[in-house]
């Protein structure tokens, strides 16, 4: 496999604050755009693509088995595993990719750019951002004019909370090759920084490139990401339309199905929302979606079914851990949201924040400390998260609740009010508490 193939067929999607599998995808060449296909035609395209992918995996397995020195096949095999993991959610494919790349680098430890940069990508996917950073820097030293290395470098910096350095890396990438991977990363950086207009424009640029690259899942991914932005901003109808476009583009796309569940829940149709999430989890039991379904069952008064979903989260964590994927922050947020194992969660979050002082790590630490009653420490941690400029609704909610607990009613009213203005239906589990707290703080401020 050449580095050109790697750069044209890889993209890391960083889903900040979400329990989504983060892995490799593509940005392709630029053939002429085609009119949208019918759902039946799209389904046929997906089936054909999956069959072609499996055939290519089988071919590469046979080649690498027949030639123990064939690093090109091993690198290509890892690439296919990474894309399949993205499409199916099977985290064991990440372990397979890591194994293939480790073998590749054992065979050719020097000058093996593809092996190094792809292993950096796998490490970022598994949330080992420090190792991803080291490998990305090594890859760039080998080929300083290859765009993809800077993308993975930026991903590592994002995971470590080093956002200014991520900005520089992504800018370098987009200057070298302004394609889907570059615009997708740029959009996520803008989004994290609260620059939502710029994020929207970048997602639209990403979508325009994805629609012509010949891989339906890429356009589905980009549309779902834009839908996530719209949902965060409370543009529920726009989000629903984009999730549907995503699903029509790549039938069965789990993140689009779950997105339609989010939209249904925001509209108050909890039964429809549950149905969507049940469909999504039947395809891929992504932890975030399992939690969301549990919350929907709880909101409908079915505590037994909710408990079953929450218990499933622990089993999924074990599966991810067994395959090398670190979910400490994601599980920490679930525990804090649901008042589970709070003392242990604070400690795990504190360690995670020390290793990677990112927006997500600061938010999880702050929320866990709040639930533990350590309001001053929580306020310090949430200030770190807010300093990014984020407009993530859940972070604004956490900030409002924390400032309310410290007695800073003006800032509590500011952030809880921002939640109500932006997206009051942001969470089935938390929205009622957010609304009641806002009313309480508003009354307290008015009564002073």
């Amino acid at each position: 496999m050449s580095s050109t193939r790697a750069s044209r067929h890889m993209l890391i999607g960083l889903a900040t604050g979400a329990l989504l599998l983060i892995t490799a995808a593509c940005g392709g060449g630029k053939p002429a755009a085609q009119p949208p296909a019918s759902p039946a035609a799209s389904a046929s395209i997906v089936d054909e693509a999956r069959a072609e992918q499996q055939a290519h995996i089988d071919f590469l397995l046979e080649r690498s088995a027949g030639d123990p020195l064939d690093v090109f096949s091993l690198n290509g095999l890892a690439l296919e595993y990474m894309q399949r993991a993205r499409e199916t959610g099977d985290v064991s494919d990440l372990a397979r990719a890591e194994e293939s790349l480790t073998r590749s680098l054992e065979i050719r430890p020097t000058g093996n750019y593809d092996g190094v940069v792809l292993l950096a990508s796998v490490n970022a996917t598994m949330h080992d951002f420090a190792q991803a950073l080291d490998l990305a820097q090594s890859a760039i030293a080998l080929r300083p004019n290859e765009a993809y290395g800077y993308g993975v470098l930026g991903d590592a910096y994002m995971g470590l909370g080093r956002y200014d350095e991520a900005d520089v890396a992504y800018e370098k990438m987009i200057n070298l090759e302004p394609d889907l991977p570059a615009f997708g990363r740029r959009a996520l950086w803008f989004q994290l920084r609260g620059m939502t207009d710029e994020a929207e424009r970048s997602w639209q640029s990403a979508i325009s490139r994805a629609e012509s690259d010949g891989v339906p899942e890429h356009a589905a991914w980009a549309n779902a990401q834009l839908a996530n932005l719209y949902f965060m901003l409370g543009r529920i109808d726009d989000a629903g339309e984009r999730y549907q476009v995503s699903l029509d583009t790549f039938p069965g796309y789990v993140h689009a199905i779950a997105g339609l569940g989010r939209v249904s829940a925001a509209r108050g149709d909890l039964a429809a929302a549950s149905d969507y999430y049940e469909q999504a989890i039947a395809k891929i039991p992504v932890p975030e979606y399992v939690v969301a379904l549990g919350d929907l069952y709880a909101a409908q008064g079915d505590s037994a079914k909710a408990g079953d979903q929450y218990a499933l989260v622990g089993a999924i964590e074990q599966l991810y851990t067994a395959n090398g994927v670190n979910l400490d922050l994601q599980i920490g947020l679930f525990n804090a949201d649901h008042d589970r194992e709070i003392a242990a969660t604070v400690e795990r979050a504190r360690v995670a924040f020390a290793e990677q002082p990112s927006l997500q790590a600061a938010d999880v630490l702050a929320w866990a400390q709040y639930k533990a009653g350590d309001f001053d420490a929580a306020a310090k941690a949430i200030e770190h998260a807010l300093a990014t400029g984020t407009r993530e609704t859940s972070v604004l909610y956490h900030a409002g609740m924390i400032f309310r607990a410290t007695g800073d009613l003006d800032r509590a009213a500011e952030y809880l009010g921002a939640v109500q203005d932006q997206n009051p239906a942001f969470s089935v589990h938390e929205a009622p508490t957010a609304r009641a707290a806002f009313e309480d703080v508003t009354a307290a401020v008015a009564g002073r």
Side-chain angles (χ1 to χ4, degrees), residues 35-46 247-251:
S38 68
S42 295
S44 176
I45 290 171
V46 170
L247 186 60
D248 291 344
T249 301
F250 192 63

Side-chain angles (χ1 to χ4, degrees), residues 26 35 47 102 107-108 130 152 165 174 197 204 229 233-234 271 328-329 338 346-348 380 407 416 425 427 440:
C26 312
D47 291 341
T102 300
I107 295 167
R108 184 176 293 177
V152 182
E165 290 162 289
I174 209 166
D197 290 342
Q204 289 167 343
L229 173 64
L233 296 175
D328 280 354
L329 292 178
H338 297 83
V346 169
E347 289 307 310
R348 287 176 70 180
K380 182 178 179 180
L416 291 171
S427 163
D440 176 69

Side-chain angles (χ1 to χ4, degrees), residues 253-317:
Y253 190 50
V254 66
H255 304 310
I257 295 170
L260 291 170
R262 295 179 78 192
V263 168
S264 295
R267 290 170 172 163
D269 191 344
L270 303 190
S274 298
D275 182 62
Y276 278 121
Y277 276 110
E278 286 165 358
Q279 292 180 51
I281 291 165
K283 292 178 176 294
I284 306 174
V286 177
E288 179 187 16
Y289 305 154
V290 174
V291 173
L293 181 58
D295 290 345
L296 283 163
Y297 287 149
Q300 295 171 88
D302 195 334
S303 58
K305 290 178 74 173
D308 289 342
Q309 295 303 310
Y310 297 152
L312 180 57
V313 174
I316 294 171
E317 181 188 13

Side-chain angles (χ1 to χ4, degrees), residues 32-102:
Q34 300 296 321
S38 68
S42 295
S44 176
I45 290 171
V46 170
D47 291 341
E48 290 174 6
R50 286 176 174 162
E52 181 181 351
Q53 179 185 66
Q54 186 58 55
H56 195 217
I57 288 173
D58 293 341
F59 169 73
L60 291 171
L61 281 169
E62 182 177 353
R63 265 187 50 167
S64 61
D67 182 354
L69 301 181
D70 185 0
V71 298
F72 301 104
S73 292
L74 290 170
N75 292 339
L77 188 59
L79 186 61
E80 295 297 341
Y81 284 142
M82 294 165 76
Q83 177 63 26
R84 190 170 70 178
R86 178 187 178 87
E87 295 178 3
T88 67
D90 184 354
V91 293
S92 64
D93 270 332
L94 297 179
R96 294 185 185 99
E98 183 180 34
E99 180 183 359
S100 295
L101 294 167
T102 300

Side-chain angles (χ1 to χ4, degrees), residues 166-167 170-171 174 181-191 199 202:
D167 181 27
Y170 290 158
E171 187 68 18
I174 209 166
F183 279 108
R185 286 172 164 89
R186 209 74 179 102
L188 288 165
W189 187 90
F190 284 134
Q191 195 166 318
S202 289

Side-chain angles (χ1 to χ4, degrees), residues 421-432:
D421 290 340
Q422 181 167 287
N423 186 2
F426 73 101
S427 163
V428 167
H429 183 66
E430 302 288 4

